[in-house]
Amino acid sequence: MRAKITYFVTAAVLVVYFVLVGSRGVMLIQQGTAITVTFGAAVLILPVIGVWFLWKNTQFVSRANQLAAELEAEGGLPVDELVRTPGGRIDRDSADAVFAKRRAETEDSPDDWRCWFRLAVAYHDARDTPRARRAMQRAIALHDGRPVPS
């Protein structure tokens, strides 16, 4: 729940920032000189890119949560079998062992979105966020019956 609150607060702050930057861009364009119109257009590009990025990330998180809920209803969520340090951090060797198991499971069933979801969790536990994101995107695509990203 804390992560959701943090995400929504950050998103709200970003939206306020986008509005402020966008208003400055419009003010620059209203000045009417060649330089201010150019700068204003350039300034307006930043909020557009930011809104697109925020929207895509929100869609991704929403779809990943839907898959997690579906997998939980099936009883297929990965069990937390990781060894942790006294401070609560995941032991690297433990994460590597679980990752090897999840990778083998995914290699045996490459078209099963459930395996890719569990592999994404294993990547995340091993602190490999880019691969975790790609594995989750693949799980989402397989679940939705869309072409799988390479």
Side-chain angles (χ1 to χ4, degrees), residues 1-55:
M1 187 64 173
R2 185 173 152 191
K4 284 184 180 181
I5 292 170
T6 302
Y7 185 82
F8 285 115
V9 167
T10 304
V13 168
L14 281 171
V15 167
V16 169
Y17 173 75
F18 297 151
V19 169
L20 289 173
V21 170
S23 70
R24 297 297 183 242
V26 169
M27 287 171 51
L28 284 168
I29 291 172
Q30 288 175 343
Q31 292 295 317
T33 66
I35 296 237
T36 60
V37 169
T38 303
F39 281 145
V43 167
L44 283 177
I45 290 172
L46 295 174
V48 169
I49 292 170
V51 167
W52 174 83
F53 183 75
L54 183 61
W55 174 250

Side-chain angles (χ1 to χ4, degrees), residues 99-119:
F99 172 77
K101 186 175 14 172
R102 298 291 180 229
R103 184 179 59 203
E105 176 185 284
T106 304
E107 288 171 353
D108 290 342
S109 301
D111 294 330
D112 186 0
W113 69 267
R114 294 163 188 85
C115 294
W116 282 99
F117 183 95
R118 288 187 283 267
L119 180 64

Side-chain angles (χ1 to χ4, degrees), residues 42-121:
V43 167
L44 283 177
I45 290 172
L46 295 174
V48 169
I49 292 170
V51 167
W52 174 83
F53 183 75
L54 183 61
W55 174 250
K56 294 306 274 184
N57 277 310
T58 302
Q59 281 183 316
F60 174 76
V61 169
S62 174
R63 290 295 298 137
N65 286 337
Q66 289 172 359
L67 263 57
E70 186 173 330
L71 202 54
E72 182 180 30
E74 296 174 358
L77 278 179
V79 178
D80 186 2
E81 52 192 308
L82 299 167
V83 176
R84 299 184 189 278
T85 65
R89 293 189 60 115
I90 296 171
D91 178 64
R92 183 72 175 180
D93 294 333
S94 174
D96 290 343
V98 171
F99 172 77
K101 186 175 14 172
R102 298 291 180 229
R103 184 179 59 203
E105 176 185 284
T106 304
E107 288 171 353
D108 290 342
S109 301
D111 294 330
D112 186 0
W113 69 267
R114 294 163 188 85
C115 294
W116 282 99
F117 183 95
R118 288 187 283 267
L119 180 64
V121 172

